Amino acid sequence: MDFSAPRGMRDFYPEDMVLRNRIFDAWRAAAVASGFEHYDACVVESLDLLKRKAGEEVENQVYAFQDKSGRDIALRAEMTPTLARMVAARQGSLQFPIKWFCIAQCFRYERMTKGRKREHYQLNLDIVGEDGVSGEAEVLVGAIDALRRMGVPDGAYRVRLSSRALLSELLEKLGIPEKFHAGAFIALDKKGKLPREEIEAILRDEGLDDEACRKAFDLTEISSLDEAAAIAGPDSPAIARIRELFALLKVYGVADQVVFDISVVRGLSYYTGIVFEAFDTKGEFRAIFGGGRYDNLLTTIGGKPMPAVGLGFGDVVVGELLKALGLDGPTGDRDLVCVGYMQPEQRDAATRLAARLRAAGRNVDLRLHAQKAKAFFAAAAQRATHAAYVGPDDVAAGSVRMKNLSTREETSVPLA
Ligand code: HAM
């Protein structure tokens, strides 16, 4: 019998939950602090919803199967199509804009590399029904706040931000018509991941000639927003929008963490406008989070038109970053009282004490059988913050000493 989890799937032993809880707690706190509402859905989705345009990596990574009635279903690879479906189902009654968050378990049959598993959790922050850059700002600030709550210093990462609308404007200026843009985005996203010749081959498959391929490629060499603005021209709506967002991020006090980087395109085809990805500044890990504006997804799945923006923030990469920064320990005060007893005769007294402490809001690990003092205190020292050990003398005296295991202080607690 092989006791390991299926390849790419993760077991979380109690010691692994320390890091996972640290991440999830920060995610939840940041999302709630920014006014996002919690939603959720089943990890099983209908395959139809997830079927996508050719060329997207994620399309080939879906875990798909048939249920016993022959329905084609899949484990979700991301939350966004499900969110779009849920919103479309209530589009007539929801009060827009909505700000929703969830922590979604996702499955992708990926080639496993550092930071990539076949199963991961993702914080999703999404705003549906708002087309202004306040939407982009709020989701970005939510993710930055989560990193801060995990203890990650501002200098340890950068959000790289660009815009597909800008790339579209620039491609248009180069004489590359709009019908080629979607394919060009997916190909350009592979820059740095695939050799240039392979990307050019993809662009050629999309219908671009050699000249257009070269021009499209050269765009990704643009090194500043001013340089992009010079090509896009003074009336570029995409440039105006990026500038407005940067000005707003300055007001939030997070502008230093966000930089313009035209090479950020994103690998999912539904993005329409501003797109972004966060990376550690040392360049050791893959993207910490990524997202952008996707104003057409609702209509693509059959809903009414509605602007949307959001991001996905995975637990795997940030977990590695937290480990590298020595921030993977438990946070906050973890209160745990270990209650034990010397002989079976003291079980009821210890149990009563444990029940009372629990009723008073304390966390109590009541030992399941009588133990010698040495064994009890050794076990308590493993996890507990306090220990109370009930012996026959304590029962006779009607009280027991509760020991603070870090300060060694003792207080007397009545047993009755
Ligand atoms: P994504 O870039 O595919 O976007 O994933 C978002 C984040 O999830 C990544 O930056 C990474 O942290 C994590 N992630 C993705 N795949 C894996 C994997 N195989 N192993 C570990 N971590 C992974 C989306 O999924 C979009 N749906 C995000 C979004 C929400 N856009 C708008 N709203």
Side-chain angles (χ1 to χ4, degrees):
M1 179 69 197
D2 178 3
F3 292 120
S4 39
R7 196 167 150 71
M9 308 300 167
R10 297 182 292 161
D11 291 330
F12 290 90
Y13 285 88
E15 65 267 27
D16 306 316
M17 291 305 290
V18 172
L19 178 59
R20 181 168 131 179
N21 284 335
R22 186 177 177 129
I23 295 169
F24 281 32
D25 289 351
W27 278 347
R28 240 178 257 119
V32 170
S34 279
F36 286 83
E37 289 181 278
H38 206 167
Y39 74 102
D40 206 354
C42 181
V43 71
V44 174
E45 252 307 343
S46 52
L47 184 61
D48 261 354
L49 183 77
L50 306 181
K51 274 194 188 146
R52 301 282 276 277
K53 282 200 184 137
E56 272 183 303
E57 211 171 18
V58 74
E59 195 203 10
N60 303 318
Q61 297 172 336
V62 172
Y63 278 85
F65 51 98
Q66 286 196 327
D67 69 9
K68 289 186 192 297
S69 310
R71 285 184 203 93
D72 288 321
I73 48 181
L75 302 180
R76 67 174 169 235
E78 51 158 342
M79 196 65 189
T80 313
T82 301
L83 169 74
R85 175 179 65 66
M86 288 171 68
V87 171
R90 298 218 175 152
Q91 217 165 347
S93 59
L94 287 168
Q95 290 292 311
F96 294 100
I98 53 164
K99 294 173 71 176
W100 284 8
F101 86 95
C102 75
I103 297 177
Q105 190 181 20
C106 301
F107 295 84
R108 298 182 187 184
Y109 197 81
E110 296 224 34
R111 200 172 59 82
M112 286 196 293
T113 55
K114 197 171 161 198
R116 282 288 174 274
K117 305 274 183 198
R118 291 187 176 160
E119 171 235 342
H120 73 282
Y121 289 89
Q122 245 188 37
L123 168 71
N124 276 247
L125 296 176
D126 287 273
I127 299 182
V128 183
E130 175 55 52
D131 55 14
V133 290
S134 298
E136 277 86 341
E138 279 285 299
V139 294
L140 273 170
V141 165
I144 289 172
D145 182 31
L147 282 168
R148 284 181 173 164
R149 285 170 193 265
M150 289 173 207
V152 177
D154 289 348
Y157 64 92
R158 282 286 170 275
V159 182
R160 299 185 199 154
L161 180 143
S162 184
S163 160
R164 282 193 179 179
L166 171 64
L167 266 186
S168 258
E169 285 181 22
L170 298 177
L171 289 167
E172 200 83 48
K173 284 226 179 271
L174 296 175
I176 302 173
E178 200 192 335
K179 64 175 180 179
F180 294 125
H181 296 185
F185 295 152
I186 298 299
L188 292 177
D189 175 64
K190 300 199 162 63
K191 197 182 162 217
K193 301 170 193 161
L194 291 180
R196 182 166 176 151
E197 307 79 67
E198 278 186 46
I199 299 171
E200 285 182 351
I202 301 172
L203 286 169
R204 268 193 295 274
D205 283 351
E206 290 290 330
L208 270 71
D209 60 24
D210 284 352
E211 170 75 359
C213 279
R214 194 186 49 73
K215 283 181 179 169
F217 233 97
D218 288 349
L219 283 182
T220 62
E221 305 294 329
I222 291 174
S223 64
S224 69
L225 187 55
D226 287 341
E227 194 183 334
I231 306 174
D235 303 324
S236 157
I239 293 284
R241 204 178 158 87
I242 298 172
R243 290 208 198 280
E244 186 190 350
L245 176 57
F246 272 110
L248 191 53
L249 292 175
K250 206 167 179 179
V251 180
Y252 277 100
V254 300
D256 289 347
Q257 282 92 272
V258 189
V259 293
F260 174 73
D261 181 344
I262 199 153
S263 70
V264 173
V265 191
R266 307 269 302 137
L268 298 158
S269 63
Y270 50 65
Y271 293 111
T272 52
I274 283 173
V275 280
F276 49 82
E277 273 173 352
F279 290 91
D280 65 293
T281 27
K282 285 193 180 157
E284 281 180 49
F285 307 109
R286 298 186 57 153
I288 303 168
F289 64 77
R293 182 160 283 283
Y294 52 101
D295 287 345
N296 298 335
L297 186 60
L298 264 291
T299 34
T300 311
I301 68 156
K304 294 189 201 77
M306 186 147 273
V309 61
L311 60 81
F313 182 160
D315 66 326
V316 180
V317 176
V318 85
E320 283 174 359
L321 179 65
L322 291 176
K323 278 188 205 151
L325 294 169
L327 294 168
D328 50 337
T331 46
D333 296 332
R334 33 160 211 122
D335 166 64
L336 181 66
V337 187
C338 199
V339 174
Y341 49 99
M342 194 181 289
Q343 299 151 341
E345 291 72 31
Q346 291 96 50
R347 184 172 77 174
D348 287 359
T351 303
R352 228 172 276 124
L353 173 66
R356 267 184 42 229
L357 287 168
R358 285 174 180 161
R362 305 292 298 267
N363 305 317
V364 179
D365 173 29
L366 172 63
R367 305 310 290 176
L368 300 173
H369 54 82
Q371 276 178 306
K372 291 215 162 61
K374 201 173 163 202
F376 167 75
F377 281 103
Q382 297 284 318
R383 294 173 56 220
T385 51
H386 298 80
Y389 182 65
V390 185
D393 296 349
D394 302 304
V395 176
S399 68
V400 66
R401 281 163 302 150
M402 167 108 80
K403 196 170 185 173
N404 179 321
L405 293 174
S406 47
T407 64
R408 303 272 135 200
E409 261 170 67
E410 292 187 347
T411 43
S412 178
V413 182
L415 283 170

